[in-house]
């Protein structure tokens, strides 16, 4: 190849990526840069705006509302994500083993909640959770149990975890299932002939083979956990005292910007949140790599 | 599509330009704070009749943000009166969602409404940020003696008239006569002590609660403080605020309710959600301490219980000085960003002040009137409501309205105040906990915020 | 950022291979497990009971909604009356919301897919200065959730006076870093270099090759990206919530949430529960149909991300 042709190909390639990166720069980089810029100012109701350096960031690290929000997210990461992905993996393996009747229908029905918009899912669960007249109330009453208030401040976090689990198990299951299906079948046929049990087969052949897919679901779940917004925003209408402004960091950024009218501090929180997500994703990635070495 | 693509390109480039400016550090956009700049027509002088005539006979587009259902009917009447003026009614949400939209539109300077619904409690908040047009030059001051005095005071700030009253919510006691009778309570409780006795009877003899005290109903709780003569807030229109939500007087009122709550004499469910509507329908709540807009609202929300309800004044702390507080109620204000202030003012005024639309608000939208003429109109006052067993409920609340204290003030940041109310006092109610400590926590949160925002705080 | 893990491997994503068919034969011969079947179908209940509740509730009026058992019909069958209410509310604004949702999601999906396909194709098939860096930036961007960007984007749009326009919802949705990643992985296998070389020998220009040769091979991957950006935009709530004011511009998500909130409006409140529920029920039907109809695509498409990821 002559360098003229090469140069032409470079130009062609830039032509292909230009539209994406033009939009990417304006819709992704520019907002981040702009909010980074705003985060260095403070705008008071009395007195107007002034440059404050890193003050907003210092404030965030001392702000109990923000820190508790991060804490709730951590709890979701440690409790809800493993449950959700564990279920997804179990269903995917069960379907892949071909031992359950009606697998195809099962697969579609478990996936179905993913097609329900998050807003609708939250509205619906809001009704279901009703203590006296909701479905959970009807069921506990029929069983003679005391009514449980799923919207109380003690339970609301778990109620929200349940909504997220309900909505996303199927999605993760499909990713894992698709990965399982692409394992060359010779591999486990051989193991089965050896008389390995389904459990052993899953543990020592299938799961290691789909590690990239598992990694993908973990990363998506980490990002998703930090994004939680719809649930507190919609449930706060029916459970007003159970959901504080800083329930999740994302919800907090919204409230700081639009209720407390502190755009600059909200920008700092949004920016900080991006950093936290990067760090957590990086840690997840590192720990996956380490484990890979051990295996 | 081509047109669309071009718009998109324009959008992208203008955003890129803003970003570039920002990055170059030569922007003033963090300080769009031209709060105190005069409105378009704010020449200081009064608007003349000729100007008004001209404005009302010029083809004009107005946008009106409100969450009042069926307000289109009043607007239609306005458009019939002034055919040159076309009004677009938009519902952008209610409560805090509505207010944040108003703020952002007003900050952006475009896309906002000309006329906007504001609850009385939020007028100072929007006045503080300089978003409301002073209506005095347009003739609003002349309306003063047409309104109930305590209501009119709510729309004033530093001698400026900032909104036209729409409805109000002097508080009373709605109750289920059948349940009360079953409990052995034959008279509506006259004092709060009587109320507690009645509550005990209701709990003992029926499966109901005498009322539901929703933890997050900030306006209702404040209404009860208002009745008791507590003055938790003060604002001078500038940078001085008074915050005193944990005064001994306030704590005395809340000690009463803490006792009621901890003895399970009232329920503490969140209100206006599906469960609460059912509670009203199915007799879980034998009563409701609420505002004057509630009687008609309730007759729609709890249709199945028609004929069983009655209305009475709030129980009193001191029967020699009957008092009530206010909960809710709205006014219509004009934003400074309007390009048609005269027409916008006329819209806000006409639908609330002209007799026919104002009367329609009371019959169609549940609204309890603020204009003396409507309050005295026999069509309104003498109305007998089947839902309340033929009682003249409007007459009762019209009398209650005269007992509302006129000196109540709000903070200039009620959005934050209510949201922190839920986290502090509201949470204490929900936990059946220490309400005095809840008030203390709320006080601290308010003072912190006020200081952070640069206000001078008087304890 | 994640290059180490997301390294594409060489096996093609999801060819219906011979081994697949053989495996089916093996499965058929396998013993079924009654226990597993039971466990699976019990689990299915958890996922579909709420949806059954939604359907049953959509057939009830307000009073049946709270007084009759949630998983069965009420005293009256009100589905059609409720649907009528849904479309009558505020002069039929629901239809407008549905149309907006379709337009926003459709335009965003088409646009995002176009951008992602071109970029992913270039990353897969061309070497150029800066390609590694730009791709690493794209991968890093996958980590940043769109909602964390929503407020910054809002601030930017607001200072450019572009809020409350359809573009405020559509433009940010055009960026799909994951779509670029997916299309790069997909294009690497789906478009053989030899084919491109042959076309070059025939004298075709690069853009012509893309247009006439590669695009057709990329189609299944594109459908996946399109489907997922479509769903993401269809379901988006945060962005339109903060960007849009005008009721006529709202998508279904924001409209429904706002309608639900009318019950809490104090004096002006309307308890529209059965209308909201019927509206919510109607709003999920299009996506369910799309998913059922395009099963083949999203299942293989997801395999691309997962297998190669």
């Amino acid at each position: 190849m002559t360098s003229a042709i090469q140069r032409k190909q470079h130009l062609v390639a830039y032509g292909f990526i230009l539209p994406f990166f033009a939009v990417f720069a304006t819709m992704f980089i520019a907002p981040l840069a702009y909010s980074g810029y705003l985060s260095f100012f403070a705008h008071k109701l009395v007195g107007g705006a002034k440059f404050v350096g890193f003050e907003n960031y210092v404030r965030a690290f001392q702000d109990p509302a923000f820190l508790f929000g991060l804490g709730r997210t951590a709890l979701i990461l440690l409790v809800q994500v493993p449950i959700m992905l564990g279920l997804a993996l179990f269903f995917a393996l069960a379907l892949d083993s071909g031992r359950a009747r009606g697998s195809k229908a099962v697969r579609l029905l478990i996936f179905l909640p993913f097609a329900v918009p998050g807003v609708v899912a939250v509205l619906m669960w809001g009704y279901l959770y009703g203590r006296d007249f909701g479905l959970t109330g009807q069921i506990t009453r029929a069983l003679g149990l005391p009514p449980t208030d799923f919207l109380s401040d003690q339970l609301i976090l778990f109620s929200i975890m349940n909504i997220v689990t309900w909505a996303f198990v199927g999605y993760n299951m499909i990713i894992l299932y698709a990965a399982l299906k692409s394992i060359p079948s010779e591999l486990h046929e051989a193991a089965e002939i050896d008389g390995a049990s389904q459990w052993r087969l899953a543990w020592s052949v299938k799961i290691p083979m789909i590690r990239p897919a598992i990694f993908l679901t973990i990363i998506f779940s980490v990002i998703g956990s930090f994004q939680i917004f719809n649930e507190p925003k919609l449930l706060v209408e029916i459970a007003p005292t159970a959901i504080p402004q800083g329930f999740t960091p994302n919800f907090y950024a919204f409230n700081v910007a639009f209720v407390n009218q502190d755009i600059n501090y909200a920008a700092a929180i949004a920016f900080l949140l991006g950093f936290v997500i990067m760090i957590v994703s990086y840690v997840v990635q590192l720990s996956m790599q380490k484990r890979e070495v051990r295996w | 599509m081509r047109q669309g693509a071009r718009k998109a390109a324009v959008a992208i480039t203008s955003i890129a330009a803003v970003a570039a400016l920002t990055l170059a550090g030569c922007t003033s956009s963090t300080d769009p704070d031209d709060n105190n700049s005069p409105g378009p027509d704010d020449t200081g002088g009064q608007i003349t009749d000729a100007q008004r005539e001209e404005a009302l006979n010029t083809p004009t587009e107005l946008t009106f943000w409100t969450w009042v259902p069926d307000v289109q009917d009043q607007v239609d009447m306005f458009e019939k009166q002034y055919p040159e003026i076309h009004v677009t009614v938009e519902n952008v949400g209610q409560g805090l969602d509505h207010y944040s939209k108003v703020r952002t539109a007003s900050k952006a300077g475009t896309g906002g409404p000309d006329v906007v619904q504001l609850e009385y409690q939020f007028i100072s908040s929007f006045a503080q940020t300089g978003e409301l047009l002073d209506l005095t030059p347009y003739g609003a001051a002349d309306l003063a003696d047409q309104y109930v005095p305590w209501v009119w005071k709510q729309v004033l700030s530093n001698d400026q008239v900032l909104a036209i009253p729409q409805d109000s919510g002097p508080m009373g006691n709605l109750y289920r006569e059948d349940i009360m009778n079953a409990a052995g309570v034959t008279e509506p409780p006259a004092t709060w002590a009587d109320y507690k006795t009645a509550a005990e009877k209701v709990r003992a003899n029926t499966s109901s609660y005498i009322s539901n005290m929703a933890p997050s109903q900030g306006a209702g709780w404040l209404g009860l403080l208002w009745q008791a003569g507590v003055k938790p807030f003060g604002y001078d229109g500038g940078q001085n605020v008074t915050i005193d939500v944990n005064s001994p007087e306030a704590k005395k009122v809340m000690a009463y309710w803490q006792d009621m709550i901890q003895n399970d004499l009232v329920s503490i469910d969140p209100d206006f959600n599906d469960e609460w509507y059912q509670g009203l329908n199915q007799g879980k709540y034998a009563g409701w301490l609420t505002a004057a807009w509630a009687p008609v609202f309730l007759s729609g929300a709890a249709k199945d219980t028609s004929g069983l309800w009655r209305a009475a004044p709030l129980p009193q702390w001191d029967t020699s000085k009957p008092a009530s507080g206010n909960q809710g109620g709205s006014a219509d204000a004009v934003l400074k960003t309007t390009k048609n202030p005269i027409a916008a003012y006329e819209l806000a005024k006409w639908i609330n002040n002209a007799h026919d639309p104002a009367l329609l608000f009371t019959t169609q939208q549940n609204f309890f009137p603020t204009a003396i003429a409507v309050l005295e109109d026999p069509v309104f006052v003498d109305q007998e409501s089947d839902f309340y067993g033929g009682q003249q409920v409007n007459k009762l609340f019209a009398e209650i309205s005269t007992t509302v204290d006129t000196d109540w003030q709000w903070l200039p940041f009620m959005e934050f105040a209510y949201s922190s109310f839920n986290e502090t006092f509201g949470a204490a109610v929900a936990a059946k906990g220490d309400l005095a400590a809840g008030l203390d926590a709320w006080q601290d949160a308010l003072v912190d915020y006020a200081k952070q925002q640069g206000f001078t705080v008087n304890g | 950022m994640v290059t180490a893990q997301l390294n594409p491997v060489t096996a093609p994503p999801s060819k219906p291979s011979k081994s697949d068919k053989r495996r089916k034969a093996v499965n058929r011969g396998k013993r079924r497990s009654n226990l597993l079947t039971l466990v699976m179908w019990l689990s299915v209940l958890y996922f579909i009971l709420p949806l059954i509740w939604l359907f049953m509730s959509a057939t009830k009026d307000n009073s049946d909604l709270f007084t009759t058992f949630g998983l069965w019909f009420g005293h009256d069958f009100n589905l059609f009356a409720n649907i009528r209410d849904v479309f009558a509310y505020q002069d039929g604004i629901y239809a407008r919301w549905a149309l907006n949702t379709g337009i926003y999601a459709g335009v965003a999906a088409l646009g995002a897919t176009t951008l992602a396909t071109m970029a992913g194709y270039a990353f897969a098939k061309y070497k150029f200065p800066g390609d590694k860096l730009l791709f690493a930036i794209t991968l890093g961007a996958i980590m940043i959730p769109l909602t964390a960007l929503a407020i910054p984007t809002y601030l930017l749009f607001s200072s450019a006076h572009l809020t409350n326009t359809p573009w405020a919802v559509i433009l940010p949705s055009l960026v799909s870093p994951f779509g670029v990643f997916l299309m790069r992985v997909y294009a690497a296998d789906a478009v053989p270099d030899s084919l491109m070389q042959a076309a070059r020998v025939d004298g075709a220009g690069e853009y012509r090759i893309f247009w006439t040769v590669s695009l057709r091979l990329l189609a299944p991957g594109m459908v996946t990206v399109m489907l997922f950006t479509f769903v993401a935009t269809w379901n988006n709530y945060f962005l339109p919530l903060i960007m849009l004011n005008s009721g006529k511009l709202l998508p279904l998500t924001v409209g429904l949430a706002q309608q639900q909130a009318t019950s809490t409006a104090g004096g002006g409140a309307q308890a529209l529960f059965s209308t909201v529920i019927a509206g919510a029920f109607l709003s999920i039907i299009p996506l369910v149909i799309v998913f059922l109809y395009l099963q083949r695509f999203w299942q293989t498409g997801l395999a691309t991300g997962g297998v190669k990821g």
Side-chain angles (χ1 to χ4, degrees):
Chain A
M1 257 193 256
T2 69
S3 76
I5 292 178
Q6 225 170 28
R7 213 174 307 133
K8 205 186 133 214
Q9 287 218 355
H10 290 169
L11 280 181
V12 169
Y14 288 130
F16 276 126
I17 63 167
L18 182 70
F20 174 79
F21 279 99
V23 180
F24 181 77
T26 44
M27 295 298 139
F28 216 95
I29 308 286
L32 278 180
Y34 185 54
S35 71
Y37 168 80
L38 285 181
S39 70
F40 292 116
F41 291 82
H43 189 142
K44 295 182 174 178
L45 288 176
V46 177
K50 69 171 201 277
F51 181 80
V52 295
F54 284 93
E55 209 173 87
N56 284 321
Y57 292 94
V58 176
R59 182 177 156 199
F61 281 114
Q62 295 166 347
D63 182 349
F66 178 63
L67 297 177
F68 275 117
L70 283 181
R72 283 188 199 89
T73 308
L75 211 56
I76 292 171
L77 286 179
L78 295 175
V79 178
Q80 186 265 336
V81 170
I83 292 177
M84 173 177 71
L85 295 184
L87 284 174
L89 184 61
F90 170 77
F91 291 140
L93 287 167
L95 291 175
D96 186 61
S97 77
R99 302 232 159 172
R101 289 186 187 83
S103 288
K104 194 169 180 223
V106 169
R107 196 171 75 219
L108 276 176
L109 290 174
I110 293 179
F111 181 74
L112 204 54
F114 183 70
V116 177
V119 166
V120 173
V122 179
L123 289 181
M124 182 177 74
W125 278 100
Y127 286 104
L128 292 173
Y129 283 146
R131 188 187 60 189
D132 295 331
F133 305 100
L135 185 62
T136 54
Q138 289 177 340
I139 289 173
T140 47
R141 214 173 23 243
L143 297 175
L145 298 169
T148 312
D149 192 354
F150 287 98
L151 298 171
S152 65
D153 57 344
Q154 293 95 353
L155 289 181
I156 189 87
L157 183 60
F158 295 93
S159 304
I160 287 176
M161 288 183 186
N162 174 53
I163 300 177
V164 179
T165 305
W166 180 81
F168 288 102
V169 163
Y171 172 71
N172 288 301
M173 174 193 76
I174 292 289
I175 294 182
L176 298 173
Y177 175 73
L180 283 170
K181 271 197 23 176
S182 67
I183 298 175
S185 51
E186 291 78 4
L187 266 180
H188 43 82
E189 271 162 33
E192 269 176 273
I193 291 164
D194 287 349
S197 76
Q198 284 294 324
W199 292 110
R200 247 202 84 98
L201 184 67
W203 185 251
S204 44
V205 179
K206 290 183 175 177
I207 293 180
M209 291 289 291
I210 60 164
R211 283 171 36 74
I214 295 176
F215 173 73
L216 197 74
T217 59
I218 293 177
I219 284 290
F220 280 172
S221 306
V222 169
I223 299 171
S225 304
F226 280 102
Q227 298 213 53
I228 290 179
F229 172 80
N230 296 0
E231 290 80 1
K233 177 74 178 82
L234 294 168
L235 290 180
V236 76
E237 300 269 356
I238 55 174
T241 56
I243 297 177
Q245 274 202 334
F247 192 80
T248 61
N250 217 355
F251 184 55
Y252 190 47
F254 172 85
N255 282 322
V256 168
F258 296 108
V259 176
N260 303 2
Q261 304 171 59
D262 202 340
I263 291 284
N264 303 84
Y265 187 42
I269 289 174
F271 213 70
L272 215 48
L273 186 59
F275 268 116
V276 172
I277 297 171
M278 298 259 255
I279 291 165
V280 173
S281 305
Y282 191 64
V283 168
V284 169
Q285 193 186 333
L286 276 186
S287 68
M288 290 288 286
Q289 275 170 344
K290 260 192 204 141
R291 210 169 290 170
E292 192 158 32
V293 174
R294 220 181 300 143
W295 279 353
Chain B
M1 205 54 220
R2 173 148 288 176
Q3 181 72 15
R6 198 174 308 137
K7 269 191 197 158
V10 170
I12 293 185
T13 42
S14 54
I15 286 203
V18 170
L21 278 175
T22 309
L23 294 175
C26 57
T27 177
S28 58
S29 61
T30 46
D31 190 16
D33 198 17
D34 45 353
N35 284 346
N36 300 318
S37 70
D41 272 17
D42 194 6
T43 49
Q46 287 287 327
I47 300 298
T48 63
D49 284 348
Q51 284 172 303
R52 187 187 327 276
E53 280 305 307
E54 193 198 336
L56 290 172
N57 289 304
T58 310
T60 305
E61 288 286 332
L62 292 178
T63 307
F64 179 21
W65 283 7
T66 171
W67 65 82
V68 173
D70 297 323
V71 73
Q72 189 66 48
D73 293 343
Q74 277 86 357
V75 168
D76 287 345
M77 294 163 88
F78 175 79
E79 286 179 333
K80 206 171 158 207
Q81 183 82 9
Y82 301 107
E84 291 301 331
I85 299 180
H86 177 251
V87 182
T88 307
V89 176
E90 296 257 31
N91 176 358
V92 299
Q94 31 261 317
L96 290 184
D97 283 340
H98 170 87
Y99 296 121
S100 76
K101 294 281 178 202
V102 176
R103 287 209 186 274
T104 53
S106 170
K107 273 202 187 99
T110 54
D114 300 281
V115 180
V116 63
Q117 176 185 3
L118 288 181
E119 290 160 278
Y120 298 110
Q121 44 197 344
F122 288 96
I123 290 175
S124 315
S125 306
F126 282 83
Q128 196 279 330
T129 44
E131 281 158 74
L132 305 183
L133 190 66
D134 176 14
L135 303 178
T136 322
Y138 303 89
D142 303 342
L143 306 174
D145 48 10
Q146 299 178 25
Y147 287 91
V148 179
W150 71 265
V151 171
W152 189 250
K153 240 183 153 167
Q154 293 277 313
V155 298
L156 298 181
S157 169
N158 289 346
D159 298 327
Q160 298 189 336
V161 181
L162 294 176
I164 306 296
Q166 183 161 71
D167 74 311
S168 69
M171 292 178 77
N173 175 18
L174 305 181
Y175 62 94
R176 284 275 296 270
E177 194 183 47
D178 56 329
I179 300 178
M180 291 296 180
N181 284 340
V185 182
T186 49
E187 287 285 312
T191 68
W192 286 111
D194 296 346
Y195 193 70
K196 188 186 172 190
T197 315
E200 284 163 345
K201 286 186 186 163
V202 171
R203 276 315 277 154
N205 303 326
T206 71
S207 58
S208 306
Y209 288 93
I210 195 165
S211 73
N212 178 57
M213 301 300 291
S216 60
Q217 188 48 263
W221 287 103
L222 288 175
L224 292 174
L225 292 182
W226 191 333
Q227 184 213 13
V230 180
K231 300 274 177 347
F233 307 134
Y235 177 50
D236 72 347
Q239 54 183 1
N240 294 300
V241 292
T242 306
I243 302 172
D244 194 17
V245 300
N246 59 350
S247 64
E249 297 81 21
K251 283 186 173 169
K252 187 186 144 216
V253 175
M254 293 314 171
Y256 173 84
W257 288 109
Q258 180 168 329
D259 177 51
M260 294 284 279
I261 290 167
Q262 289 182 343
N263 288 311
D264 196 36
L265 298 177
V266 289
S267 60
I268 46 169
D269 304 332
D271 56 0
F272 293 101
N273 65 14
D274 48 332
E275 296 271 307
W276 175 83
Y277 278 95
Q278 284 317 300
L280 285 177
N281 271 291
Q282 303 190 2
K284 180 177 179 188
Y285 317 130
W288 185 19
L289 303 174
T290 185
W293 42 257
V296 188
F297 163 75
L298 185 65
S299 65
K303 282 196 193 80
D304 304 349
T305 56
S306 180
L308 303 174
W309 290 82
R310 298 292 180 275
L314 282 182
Q316 297 295 319
W317 294 104
D318 178 355
T319 44
S320 69
K321 282 183 282 179
S324 182
N326 178 63
Q327 175 187 355
S330 296
D332 288 325
V334 178
L335 288 189
K336 271 190 187 161
T337 47
T338 183
K339 293 191 175 64
N340 302 293
I342 298 178
Y345 167 72
E346 290 298 327
L347 170 66
K349 183 186 117 183
W350 195 87
I351 60 170
N352 293 306
N353 188 266
H355 199 72
D356 289 351
L359 196 61
L360 184 63
F361 272 127
T362 71
T363 52
Q364 178 175 270
Q365 276 105 344
N366 313 340
F367 285 174
F368 187 78
T370 53
I372 293 169
V374 183
L375 278 167
E376 288 172 353
D377 189 319
V379 174
F380 173 73
V381 182
D382 296 340
Q383 198 178 63
E384 293 175 1
S385 168
D386 292 340
F387 191 84
Y388 299 89
Q391 195 182 352
Q392 290 179 332
V393 176
N394 291 343
K395 183 173 275 172
L396 174 77
F397 276 97
E399 282 158 16
I400 292 174
S401 178
T402 62
T403 67
V404 175
D405 183 21
T406 52
D407 287 334
W408 179 276
Q409 292 186 327
W410 301 98
L411 290 176
F413 44 83
M414 287 311 291
E415 291 119 305
F416 174 82
Y418 277 130
S419 119
S420 85
F421 174 91
N422 287 349
E423 291 183 26
T424 54
F425 183 81
V429 173
K432 300 193 175 190
D434 184 345
L435 299 194
L439 288 179
D440 290 339
W442 192 28
Q443 170 82 10
D444 292 345
L446 291 174
V447 170
D448 282 352
Y449 179 83
K451 285 185 175 158
Q452 178 126 52
Q453 292 297 333
F455 289 99
T456 307
V457 182
N458 311 310
Chain C
M1 298 305 307
V2 280
T3 28
Q5 276 296 323
L6 299 180
N7 242 342
V9 278
T10 35
S14 57
K15 273 182 199 151
S17 65
K18 262 183 239 156
S19 68
D20 231 32
K21 274 176 209 152
R22 193 139 35 102
R23 198 157 134 220
K24 257 186 196 153
V26 171
N27 279 350
R28 217 169 289 136
K30 241 179 224 169
R31 271 172 297 119
R32 302 287 184 171
S33 159
N34 286 331
L35 179 65
L36 191 64
T37 304
L38 186 71
V39 169
M40 293 303 274
W41 281 95
L42 282 180
S43 309
V44 163
L45 286 184
Y46 166 70
F47 293 98
I48 60 163
L49 280 184
L51 295 173
I52 292 175
W53 177 90
L54 187 64
F55 170 70
M56 290 298 169
S57 300
T59 70
K60 296 176 184 176
D61 63 15
N62 257 352
S63 97
D64 274 2
L65 188 58
F66 299 103
T67 51
T68 60
F69 182 56
L71 296 175
W72 196 244
F73 296 100
H75 302 298
D76 303 308
F77 188 79
N78 262 304
L79 179 61
F80 299 108
N82 286 341
I83 291 176
R84 218 169 22 245
D85 287 347
V86 167
F87 286 101
Y89 176 72
Q90 287 187 5
D91 297 327
I93 199 157
Y94 185 91
R96 185 70 193 254
W97 292 341
L99 185 70
N100 292 341
T101 311
I103 292 173
Y104 299 162
V107 174
L110 274 176
T113 309
T114 309
L115 298 182
T117 305
M118 286 167 63
Y121 175 76
F123 279 126
K125 292 294 157 191
Y126 295 95
K127 278 205 172 309
F128 50 95
D131 55 352
K132 292 233 168 58
L133 176 71
L134 287 173
F135 190 63
I137 292 175
T138 313
L139 288 180
I142 295 178
M143 296 296 163
I144 300 185
L146 269 182
T147 44
L149 270 177
I151 287 182
T153 312
Y154 163 79
L155 297 175
L156 194 59
F157 271 73
S158 160
S159 56
H161 301 305
L162 280 171
T163 51
N164 203 32
T165 61
W167 296 111
V169 178
I170 293 173
L171 288 178
S173 309
L174 291 179
V175 185
S176 172
F178 187 68
V180 174
F181 164 71
L182 212 75
M183 287 315 294
R184 180 197 145 144
V185 175
Y186 197 86
D189 295 316
V191 186
D193 287 332
S194 54
L195 203 63
M196 292 175 69
Q197 208 52 47
R200 278 181 197 130
V201 172
D202 288 347
E206 298 296 326
Y207 290 112
R208 214 184 125 87
I209 295 176
F210 175 69
W211 194 247
T212 55
V213 179
S214 312
L215 210 53
R216 203 163 345 125
L217 299 169
L218 293 172
M222 290 171 66
V223 173
T224 308
V225 175
M226 202 182 300
L227 190 62
F228 279 88
T229 31
F230 186 85
V231 172
T233 316
W234 182 284
N235 289 351
N236 202 345
Y237 171 66
F238 196 7
L239 192 67
L241 173 73
I242 59 180
M243 289 289 190
L244 304 177
N245 298 327
S246 175
K248 292 187 185 70
L249 290 178
L250 298 183
L252 277 172
T253 48
V254 182
L256 279 173
Q258 193 177 301
Q259 197 179 9
Q260 161 85 2
T262 55
S263 63
T264 62
Q270 300 163 287
L272 297 169
F273 300 119
S274 58
T275 315
V276 173
I277 286 174
F281 174 71
L282 290 182
S283 80
I284 67 174
I285 294 175
L287 276 197
V288 170
I289 291 173
V290 167
F291 271 111
L292 289 181
Y293 189 69
L294 294 176
Q295 265 189 71
R296 196 164 54 85
F297 289 103
W298 54 262
Q299 295 198 358
T300 57
L302 278 174
T304 314
V307 175
K308 319 296 301 295

